């Protein structure tokens, strides 16, 4: 006689699922020096990018990781620290970091109150507070 079994929730259904491990590898970028003609330089300055010609020689100034910004020769073969913990890029743990020191004025200095600066509204825009200088 055939035995019938009911499906219990603890039994897995289908093939075992492997957990995906996070990719901790570096993303390498090269800081380069490329000689261009004045016309390409103008386009590159305006757009922030340009197209290099085929077969053009490019001098590599530095090779580093895009994430952790560490040089290739220092961290090759290691996991990218920016993908593990990104705190090193912001100066460490913000809760334990030392506060900025308030500068002490010289002994013979006198504090003179200034006028009120309008930082909002049309007066601020006309005054140049909220727009970049020309």
């Amino acid at each position: 006689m055939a035995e019938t079994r009911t499906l219990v929730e603890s039994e897995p259904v289908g093939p075992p699922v492997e957990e995906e491990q996070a990719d901790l590898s570096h993303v390498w970028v090269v800081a380069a020096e490329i000689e261009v003609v004045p016309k390409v330089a103008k386009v590159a300055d305006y757009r922030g990018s340009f197209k290099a010609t085929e077969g053009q020689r490019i001098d590599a100034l530095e090779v580093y990781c895009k994430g952790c910004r560490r040089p290739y020769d220092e961290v090759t073969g290691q996991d990218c620290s920016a993908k593990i913990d990104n705190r090193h890029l912001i100066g460490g743990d913000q809760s334990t970091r030392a506060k900025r020191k308030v500068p002490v004025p010289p002994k013979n200095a006198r504090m003179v109150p200034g006028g009120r600066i309008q930082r909002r509204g049309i007066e601020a825009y006309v005054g140049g507070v909220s727009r970049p200088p020309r």
Side-chain angles (χ1 to χ4, degrees), residues 3 5 13 20 28 42 49 62 73 87 92 103 106-107 114:
E3 182 179 313
R5 291 178 33 183
V13 178
E20 289 187 30
W28 300 111
K42 183 177 180 180
S49 66
E62 186 180 8
D73 55 349
R87 282 187 293 198
K107 292 181 180 179

Side-chain angles (χ1 to χ4, degrees), residues 21-83:
Q21 291 183 346
D23 180 25
L24 300 177
S25 61
H26 293 276
V27 177
W28 300 111
V29 294
V30 176
E33 189 172 274
I34 304 169
E35 191 172 323
V36 295
V37 295
K39 182 179 178 183
V40 175
K42 183 177 180 180
V43 169
D45 183 50
Y46 178 72
R47 294 183 183 237
S49 66
F50 67 97
K51 292 184 180 180
T53 59
E54 184 178 342
Q56 185 175 12
R57 178 83 174 165
I58 300 173
D59 298 326
L61 301 176
E62 186 180 8
V63 180
Y64 59 94
C65 175
K66 189 175 184 179
C68 64
R69 302 206 182 269
R70 307 271 312 276
Y72 177 81
D73 55 349
E74 279 186 20
V75 293
T76 186
Q78 301 173 8
D79 290 337
C80 181
S81 57
K83 292 181 180 177

Side-chain angles (χ1 to χ4, degrees), residues 12-18:
V13 178
V17 178
E18 295 180 19

